[in-house]
Amino acid sequence: MEPLKERILVSAPNRTGELFIRELIRNNVAFAALVNNRAEMDKLKQIGVKEWVMLDTIDQTTWILPDFPVGKVFLFETSQTLCCRYIQICRTWTVKPIYVITHTNHPRLIYKGLGAAYVIHTYSSEVSFLAELGG
């Protein structure tokens, strides 16, 4: 039996994250979306996401390693609290880099201290260059 292919994990609760997902789909990159509610899942399903990891960020019993190997993680920040929780969870699932992409000025040391390898500050929604990091 062939081993499961590693997937990128992406939390994309904003337009920038959605554009990144579209770029991954266009480049045929194996990924799964990280979501914590049904509405977010439904929205991403409409743009073509086929694989999910659904988490209840309050209930630690749902923080189970996905059925596939997790590679790089891309977290598009809309909430500092949620982003911190995702870093904590995902850091236990992979040794690969975790990228936080943010439009805010939250201190990068918080994210780095929790295990993010890179914190990318951008005011643009154009992040197609990140797809090269994912592939």
Side-chain angles (χ1 to χ4, degrees):
M1 189 160 94
E2 189 177 321
L4 289 174
K5 184 175 181 176
E6 182 179 89
R7 290 176 186 57
I8 293 170
L9 205 52
V10 182
S11 168
N14 56 32
R15 184 176 189 287
T16 307
E18 290 173 16
L19 291 171
F20 178 69
I21 282 179
R22 289 178 194 272
E23 194 68 27
L24 293 177
I25 292 169
R26 188 174 14 262
N27 291 319
N28 212 21
V29 175
F31 77 96
L34 179 63
V35 297
N36 71 348
N37 63 66
R38 188 76 182 175
E40 189 177 355
M41 179 189 287
D42 291 342
K43 185 176 182 181
L44 293 176
K45 192 181 289 186
Q46 290 177 359
I47 66 170
V49 174
K50 305 228 184 302
E51 206 164 355
W52 313 94
V53 174
M54 173 71 84
L55 284 177
D56 178 342
T57 54
I58 296 171
D59 182 3
Q60 289 186 352
T61 63
T62 68
W63 301 356
I64 300 166
L65 183 66
D67 294 338
F68 52 83
V70 176
K72 296 175 183 175
V73 177
F74 291 84
L75 304 173
F76 290 84
E77 181 210 45
T78 55
S79 156
Q80 183 179 23
T81 303
L82 181 60
C83 192
C84 287
R85 184 63 54 97
Y86 278 164
I87 293 169
Q88 290 174 305
I89 296 166
C90 293
R91 182 43 59 212
T92 66
W93 293 349
T94 186
V95 295
K96 299 280 177 82
I98 295 175
Y99 299 83
V100 174
I101 299 86
T102 180
H103 296 297
T104 69
N105 289 320
H106 291 140
R108 69 180 344 116
L109 291 179
I110 292 172
Y111 296 138
K112 289 195 162 261
L114 291 171
Y118 303 98
V119 179
I120 300 167
H121 291 272
T122 180
Y123 294 104
S124 170
S125 291
E126 173 51 48
V127 291
S128 60
F129 67 94
L130 289 174
E132 294 175 20
L133 298 173

